[in-house]
Amino acid sequence: MTKPHPAHLAFTVLLVLLAGLPLASRAGEPLIVVEDHGGTSALPYYEALNLQPRANAPARPPIPTPRVPATPADEAAMLPVRSTKLTPGTVARRVIEAPGLRPFAVIGDDEASRAWLQRRGAALRERGAVGLVVNVETVQGLARLRTLAPGVPLAPVAGDDLADRLGLRHYPALITATGIEQ
């Protein structure tokens, strides 16, 4: 039996190493399969899991939650609040990743928001959500909203920056650490 030439052996080893290089570079990455066949959202199942952020995910800057003013006099000085990038309308449910974000609602002083707030007030209170009123003209309008959801702190806040950060165009909406829904 003849021995292979050392140059031939080195070339074979090099080919084997080069063939395995693309596989080795992907060994630590998770497999991501994306396909959409329609149907219903899986968001309620993900929310029930209370998912934690990935250990190797890059740190994202936190989305600040505005403080609720200390006194009603402060609020009167803030009014009227008008957010030109947000209007009443339909909000499509979608998943977001914002670990540690306190749940909050985005509403206005309009019929759709009042009905939504009355329907969802108990759930908002149970989640410890705050309400950001992004379109309200008067102190009376803000007070009327507060009577619809007792125990849910509501604050008048300009929402254009928030709309840009979240890609949100309509309200009423609930934003949590894992999703946006109406």
Side-chain angles (χ1 to χ4, degrees):
M1 189 186 245
T2 62
K3 288 186 177 177
H5 191 273
H8 179 68
L9 186 60
F11 181 71
T12 304
V13 169
L14 182 62
L15 281 177
V16 168
L17 287 174
L18 288 175
L21 189 60
L23 296 174
S25 69
R26 298 256 184 206
E29 295 180 25
L31 175 63
I32 299 174
V33 178
V34 178
E35 190 170 345
D36 185 3
H37 291 285
T40 59
S41 173
L43 182 60
Y45 301 105
Y46 293 121
E47 286 178 335
L49 294 175
N50 193 22
L51 299 174
Q52 300 302 310
R54 296 183 185 130
N56 61 354
R60 294 182 181 183
I63 298 173
T65 304
R67 288 186 25 233
V68 175
T71 64
D74 294 339
E75 290 178 340
M78 296 171 64
L79 298 174
V81 171
R82 296 181 185 113
S83 302
T84 59
K85 296 181 180 181
L86 290 166
T87 58
T90 303
V91 177
R93 179 179 275 193
R94 63 186 160 100
V95 174
I96 63 170
E97 276 189 42
L101 180 68
R102 180 179 178 180
F104 65 95
V106 177
I107 60 171
D109 185 20
D110 55 86
E111 190 55 43
S113 293
R114 286 189 287 273
W116 184 86
L117 190 57
Q118 194 165 23
R119 223 176 25 254
R120 305 279 311 254
L124 294 172
R125 192 172 36 260
E126 288 171 11
R127 288 181 160 198
V130 297
L132 307 182
V133 186
V134 296
N135 280 313
V136 60
E137 295 291 320
T138 64
V139 174
Q140 293 81 10
L142 190 57
R144 194 171 41 244
L145 291 169
R146 286 186 172 132
T147 62
L148 298 173
V152 177
L154 298 180
V157 176
D160 288 339
D161 183 50
L162 183 68
D164 288 338
R165 287 178 181 247
L166 294 174
L168 191 63
R169 297 294 166 244
H170 300 294
Y171 60 84
L174 172 63
I175 292 87
T176 66
T178 57
I180 298 174
E181 64 183 78
Q182 191 162 48

